[in-house]
Amino acid sequence: MFAISLTKSPLLSMPPEGGKIGELWKLEQRMTEKITYKDAGVDIELADRVIGSLSERIKSTFRPEVIGKMGGFAAMFRPEWSRYQDPVLVSATDGVGTKLKLAFLTGIHDSVGIDLVAMNVNDLLVIGAEPLFFLDYFATGALREETITAVVSGIVEGCKQAGCSLIGGETAEMPDFYAPGEYDLAGFCVGIVDRARAIDGTGIQAGDTILGVASSGLHSNGYSLVRRVLLEHKKYSLDSVFPDLGKPLGEVLLTPTRIYVKSVLKLCSEIPVKGMAHITGGGFIGNIPRVLPESCAVRIRRRSWEIPPVFRMIQRDASLDDEDMYLTFNMGIGMVIVVNPGDADKAADSLKSMGERVSLIGEVVARTGESPVILE
């Protein structure tokens, strides 16, 4: 008996012809063939290069409280604690949902980055918190430089609109996990508010006035229904321009979620805000009750604001009644704000001075029935 070293034997430096030795040589070649991480579908160099090319844009979001440099294992942020008497950190996490499918179909990827930030910072805002920093998670099967550049550029723009710092994130390349050209996004945000100024809705009472701040469109909810109705059932092209919409359908559907941070924080510094609701999944019927005391309901006057035509289009083509629409979509109102009736005009003026479109859409009433939302 004897042993042959498949890695050292000079006899195997050249391919032998036939026989057992030849078969062993071929086996060795298969066993010792170099397969890199890049060969397996993960291009670390590309990810590093893309993020590096965006470093200046990302740094442009940094507030003075950011400590250290980019590229570490974790990010540091030191709030200006002296500004607060009893500071409370507030956190939120959210994604963009199936609106991403439209980004894949159109090749427009920057607007969903804004959506990602908006869905998180607007949730923090409901409590009266100022967003401090943001982190993102981008996962895909194979990195495409132009796609991730557009997505991160959108996230940067969203952070600028919200006044928060993009201080970290994760770019995950997972071969065979996602369909070609597709990706997923998640965002994480931390904000701060003085405990005495936190808004929780407990002071809301019958007689209070409800303001509605206009949305920019569908925002980031209801897109599974939208795709089913408009693209699969009606088979509309995303390039089609409908008279009521005035621009291509794809552009209308991808309009980014409005970020209300600066206008609403200004409002909160000027008058006492009793409660707020970010109108996302669940629409009016699902979101407004989240900030109401159990003894209260709201009466909403549906004709008190202009409903964008895209909602009428969806309702018509899906044959939905009003209740279904108000349960699924924001219907043109992205943020609901509850104030004392004596502060309503001042609140509306403050928001309008920041470029918001505002309507007095209803009032708080004593709850007498099962539903906390009465649509009139």
Side-chain angles (χ1 to χ4, degrees):
M1 296 292 292
F2 62 91
I4 299 176
S5 170
L6 296 180
T7 56
K8 299 296 184 181
S9 173
L11 295 175
L12 300 181
S13 59
M14 295 295 290
E17 296 182 1
K20 293 292 185 183
I21 298 298
E23 292 178 9
L24 287 171
W25 185 87
K26 292 177 182 178
L27 175 62
E28 177 199 16
Q29 298 308 301
R30 291 196 298 271
M31 293 174 62
T32 60
E33 180 182 0
K34 182 180 179 181
I35 302 176
T36 66
Y37 207 9
K38 187 173 182 179
D39 294 329
V42 180
D43 192 342
I44 297 175
E45 292 180 357
L46 173 60
D48 289 344
R49 184 174 71 249
V50 172
I51 298 302
S53 70
L54 293 168
S55 61
E56 292 305 313
R57 293 190 210 178
I58 294 171
K59 288 178 183 177
S60 70
T61 70
F62 282 12
R63 296 163 54 117
E65 301 99 317
V66 177
I67 299 174
K69 59 182 181 179
M70 288 180 55
F73 288 94
M76 294 185 290
F77 189 100
R78 183 184 182 188
E80 296 181 21
W81 302 112
S82 60
R83 291 175 50 195
Y84 308 91
Q85 294 182 345
D86 187 9
V88 176
L89 294 179
V90 185
S91 61
T93 182
D94 209 339
V96 180
T98 60
K99 188 174 185 177
L100 293 177
K101 287 283 188 181
L102 295 176
F104 307 153
L105 291 171
T106 61
I108 300 172
H109 300 284
D110 54 349
S111 59
V112 292
I114 300 174
D115 285 308
L116 184 67
V117 177
M119 296 303 288
N120 284 275
V121 298
N122 286 344
D123 278 355
L124 292 182
L125 192 58
V126 165
I127 301 176
E130 175 187 4
L132 296 177
F133 58 84
F134 189 86
L135 300 97
D136 69 275
Y137 174 80
F138 177 98
T140 187
L143 285 178
R144 295 185 178 182
E145 185 170 353
E146 64 278 10
T147 299
I148 189 172
T149 298
V151 171
V152 175
S153 295
I155 294 172
V156 166
E157 173 59 26
C159 286
K160 287 184 175 180
Q161 291 183 25
C164 62
S165 302
L166 176 58
I167 64 172
E170 167 70 359
T171 303
E173 189 171 23
M174 300 186 288
D176 305 321
F177 201 82
Y178 294 92
E182 297 192 355
Y183 56 84
D184 196 14
L185 289 176
F188 312 88
C189 193
V190 172
I192 192 169
V193 64
D194 239 325
R195 186 170 183 177
R197 298 181 65 87
I199 301 169
D200 60 9
T202 55
I204 293 175
Q205 60 186 8
D208 287 337
T209 298
I210 302 173
L211 301 176
V213 188
S215 68
S216 55
L218 293 171
H219 284 186
S220 297
N221 297 102
Y223 279 85
S224 294
L225 174 60
V226 169
R227 288 186 299 105
R228 180 72 177 271
V229 173
L230 302 186
L231 304 186
E232 297 176 18
H233 175 60
K234 301 298 290 187
K235 300 189 183 305
Y236 293 146
S237 167
L238 290 171
D239 295 325
S240 297
V241 179
F242 294 87
D244 289 347
L245 303 183
K247 59 180 69 173
L249 178 61
E251 188 176 334
V252 172
L253 297 180
L254 278 171
T255 301
T257 305
R258 187 160 182 82
I259 292 174
Y260 301 103
V261 172
K262 293 179 180 178
S263 55
V264 171
L265 287 180
K266 175 177 179 292
L267 172 67
C268 291
S269 71
E270 295 173 346
I271 67 166
V273 173
K274 290 191 162 188
M276 289 187 278
H278 182 202
I279 308 302
T280 56
F284 275 84
I285 296 174
N287 284 289
I288 296 179
R290 297 167 66 180
V291 298
L292 294 176
E294 292 185 3
S295 61
C296 292
V298 294
R299 182 179 288 115
I300 301 295
R301 296 185 295 274
R302 287 175 287 180
R303 293 176 180 81
S304 58
W305 74 92
E306 183 177 351
I307 296 175
V310 67
F311 295 103
R312 299 299 189 196
M313 179 182 186
I314 295 167
Q315 183 170 16
R316 179 195 67 227
D317 291 340
S319 300
L320 295 175
D321 59 26
D322 282 358
E323 184 175 354
D324 284 330
M325 290 297 293
Y326 281 82
L327 182 60
T328 306
F329 300 105
N330 67 60
M331 300 303 288
I333 299 294
M335 187 72 73
V336 164
I337 301 175
V338 183
V339 297
N340 285 313
D343 292 327
D345 289 339
K346 184 177 179 181
D349 289 342
S350 175
L351 291 165
K352 289 175 182 177
S353 74
M354 295 294 288
E356 304 293 354
R357 290 179 292 125
V358 188
S359 303
L360 274 64
I361 65 171
E363 55 274 331
V364 179
V365 297
R367 183 170 179 177
T368 57
E370 291 184 4
S371 177
V373 179
I374 304 165
L375 299 176
E376 294 185 340

